[in-house]
Amino acid sequence: MPTPTTPGPHSEPLPPEPLPEQLTPDLLQDAAGTFALLSATVRLHILWLLAAGERDVGTLAEDTGQSVATVSHHLAKLKLAGLVSSRRAGKRQIYLAEDPLVADIVQLAIRHHTEAREAPRRRRGA
């Protein structure tokens, strides 16, 4: 996971933000809501792609194998939740992952399942 840095050419890593002492019902509800949004495979795929870099809706549709309308629908939900943002580039709308921590969670989940699927093969070959 990338370490936050201060601006400047010789940036020093900042310490990670402390976790809360207690989990409040509101905090748990917010976290569950994020996971609920990520439970749709299309939205998970979109965030995984955006974690690697910015893309327009047409490219996301092509990369996910979905229609532009479907991807636009899911992007609207992710944008409303603050997980993605967009900027205008000429006539195109470019989307990017807004929260690097959520992007990290998505990448870690994908890595976890990739390694879990490879693990039985490695053990059999040993």
Short mmCIF file of all heavy atoms in Angstrom, two decimals, residues 50 53-57 60 72 75-76 79 84-87 93-97:
data_model
loop_
_atom_site.label_atom_id
_atom_site.label_comp_id
_atom_site.label_asym_id
_atom_site.label_seq_id
_atom_site.Cartn_x
_atom_site.Cartn_y
_atom_site.Cartn_z
N LEU A 50 -9.81 1.27 -12.45
CA LEU A 50 -9.49 2.66 -12.13
C LEU A 50 -8.34 2.78 -11.13
O LEU A 50 -7.65 3.79 -11.10
CB LEU A 50 -10.73 3.39 -11.62
CG LEU A 50 -11.83 3.60 -12.66
CD1 LEU A 50 -13.04 4.28 -12.02
CD2 LEU A 50 -11.32 4.39 -13.86
N GLY A 53 -5.40 3.29 -13.18
CA GLY A 53 -5.28 4.53 -13.93
C GLY A 53 -6.62 5.01 -14.45
O GLY A 53 -7.61 4.27 -14.45
N GLU A 54 -6.64 6.24 -14.89
CA GLU A 54 -7.86 6.87 -15.38
C GLU A 54 -8.33 6.22 -16.68
O GLU A 54 -7.53 5.73 -17.46
CB GLU A 54 -7.59 8.35 -15.68
CG GLU A 54 -7.09 9.14 -14.51
CD GLU A 54 -6.75 10.57 -14.88
OE1 GLU A 54 -6.68 10.91 -16.08
OE2 GLU A 54 -6.56 11.35 -13.95
N ARG A 55 -9.67 6.23 -16.87
CA ARG A 55 -10.27 5.69 -18.09
C ARG A 55 -11.57 6.41 -18.38
O ARG A 55 -12.23 6.88 -17.47
CB ARG A 55 -10.57 4.19 -17.94
CG ARG A 55 -9.33 3.30 -17.93
CD ARG A 55 -9.75 1.86 -17.69
NE ARG A 55 -8.72 0.91 -17.98
CZ ARG A 55 -7.68 0.65 -17.22
NH1 ARG A 55 -7.49 1.30 -16.11
NH2 ARG A 55 -6.80 -0.27 -17.57
N ASP A 56 -11.93 6.44 -19.65
CA ASP A 56 -13.24 6.99 -20.00
C ASP A 56 -14.26 5.86 -19.99
O ASP A 56 -13.92 4.68 -19.88
CB ASP A 56 -13.22 7.73 -21.34
CG ASP A 56 -12.94 6.83 -22.53
OD1 ASP A 56 -13.02 5.59 -22.41
OD2 ASP A 56 -12.64 7.36 -23.61
N VAL A 57 -15.54 6.21 -20.09
CA VAL A 57 -16.61 5.23 -19.96
C VAL A 57 -16.55 4.19 -21.08
O VAL A 57 -16.82 3.02 -20.85
CB VAL A 57 -17.99 5.91 -19.84
CG1 VAL A 57 -18.39 6.57 -21.14
CG2 VAL A 57 -19.06 4.93 -19.39
N LEU A 60 -13.83 1.73 -20.21
CA LEU A 60 -14.30 0.88 -19.11
C LEU A 60 -15.30 -0.15 -19.61
O LEU A 60 -15.26 -1.32 -19.20
CB LEU A 60 -14.91 1.73 -18.00
CG LEU A 60 -13.92 2.50 -17.14
CD1 LEU A 60 -14.64 3.55 -16.30
CD2 LEU A 60 -13.11 1.56 -16.26
N SER A 72 -22.04 3.26 -17.20
CA SER A 72 -22.44 4.60 -16.76
C SER A 72 -23.31 4.53 -15.51
O SER A 72 -23.15 5.32 -14.57
CB SER A 72 -23.20 5.33 -17.86
OG SER A 72 -22.34 5.62 -18.93
N LEU A 75 -21.01 3.64 -12.62
CA LEU A 75 -20.16 4.79 -12.31
C LEU A 75 -20.92 5.85 -11.53
O LEU A 75 -20.38 6.46 -10.61
CB LEU A 75 -19.58 5.40 -13.59
CG LEU A 75 -18.42 4.64 -14.23
CD1 LEU A 75 -18.15 5.17 -15.63
CD2 LEU A 75 -17.16 4.73 -13.36
N ALA A 76 -22.18 6.05 -11.88
CA ALA A 76 -23.00 7.03 -11.15
C ALA A 76 -23.13 6.64 -9.68
O ALA A 76 -23.03 7.49 -8.80
CB ALA A 76 -24.37 7.15 -11.81
N LYS A 79 -19.74 7.16 -8.03
CA LYS A 79 -19.48 8.59 -7.89
C LYS A 79 -20.30 9.18 -6.74
O LYS A 79 -19.79 9.97 -5.94
CB LYS A 79 -19.79 9.30 -9.20
CG LYS A 79 -19.25 10.70 -9.30
CD LYS A 79 -19.42 11.25 -10.70
CE LYS A 79 -18.83 12.64 -10.80
NZ LYS A 79 -18.99 13.22 -12.13
N VAL A 84 -15.40 7.20 -6.83
CA VAL A 84 -14.78 7.63 -8.07
C VAL A 84 -15.12 9.10 -8.29
O VAL A 84 -16.09 9.62 -7.74
CB VAL A 84 -15.21 6.80 -9.31
CG1 VAL A 84 -14.90 5.33 -9.13
CG2 VAL A 84 -16.66 7.01 -9.65
N SER A 85 -14.30 9.75 -9.08
CA SER A 85 -14.58 11.12 -9.50
C SER A 85 -14.33 11.19 -11.00
O SER A 85 -13.84 10.22 -11.59
CB SER A 85 -13.70 12.12 -8.74
OG SER A 85 -12.34 11.88 -9.01
N SER A 86 -14.68 12.32 -11.58
CA SER A 86 -14.49 12.46 -13.02
C SER A 86 -14.01 13.86 -13.35
O SER A 86 -14.17 14.78 -12.55
CB SER A 86 -15.78 12.15 -13.76
OG SER A 86 -16.79 13.09 -13.41
N ARG A 87 -13.44 13.97 -14.52
CA ARG A 87 -13.03 15.26 -15.04
C ARG A 87 -13.30 15.26 -16.54
O ARG A 87 -13.34 14.22 -17.17
CB ARG A 87 -11.56 15.54 -14.74
CG ARG A 87 -10.60 14.58 -15.41
CD ARG A 87 -9.14 14.94 -15.14
NE ARG A 87 -8.25 13.96 -15.71
CZ ARG A 87 -7.91 13.87 -16.98
NH1 ARG A 87 -8.39 14.74 -17.84
NH2 ARG A 87 -7.09 12.93 -17.42
N GLN A 93 -15.57 12.25 -20.71
CA GLN A 93 -15.56 12.29 -19.25
C GLN A 93 -14.56 11.21 -18.82
O GLN A 93 -14.70 10.05 -19.17
CB GLN A 93 -16.97 11.99 -18.72
CG GLN A 93 -17.19 12.31 -17.30
CD GLN A 93 -17.42 13.79 -17.05
OE1 GLN A 93 -17.42 14.60 -17.95
NE2 GLN A 93 -17.58 14.15 -15.81
N ILE A 94 -13.54 11.61 -18.06
CA ILE A 94 -12.51 10.68 -17.60
C ILE A 94 -12.77 10.37 -16.13
O ILE A 94 -12.96 11.28 -15.32
CB ILE A 94 -11.10 11.29 -17.77
CG1 ILE A 94 -10.87 11.75 -19.21
CG2 ILE A 94 -10.02 10.31 -17.31
CD1 ILE A 94 -10.89 10.63 -20.23
N TYR A 95 -12.76 9.08 -15.79
CA TYR A 95 -13.03 8.65 -14.41
C TYR A 95 -11.76 8.18 -13.74
O TYR A 95 -10.86 7.63 -14.39
CB TYR A 95 -14.07 7.52 -14.43
CG TYR A 95 -15.42 8.01 -14.85
CD1 TYR A 95 -15.78 8.02 -16.20
CD2 TYR A 95 -16.33 8.51 -13.92
CE1 TYR A 95 -17.01 8.52 -16.60
CE2 TYR A 95 -17.56 9.00 -14.32
CZ TYR A 95 -17.89 9.00 -15.65
OH TYR A 95 -19.11 9.49 -16.05
N LEU A 96 -11.70 8.39 -12.42
CA LEU A 96 -10.55 7.94 -11.65
C LEU A 96 -11.01 7.51 -10.26
O LEU A 96 -12.05 7.96 -9.78
CB LEU A 96 -9.50 9.05 -11.53
CG LEU A 96 -9.93 10.39 -10.97
CD1 LEU A 96 -8.81 10.98 -10.13
CD2 LEU A 96 -10.26 11.34 -12.10
N ALA A 97 -10.22 6.61 -9.67
CA ALA A 97 -10.51 6.17 -8.31
C ALA A 97 -10.26 7.34 -7.38
O ALA A 97 -9.19 7.94 -7.40
CB ALA A 97 -9.64 4.97 -7.94
#
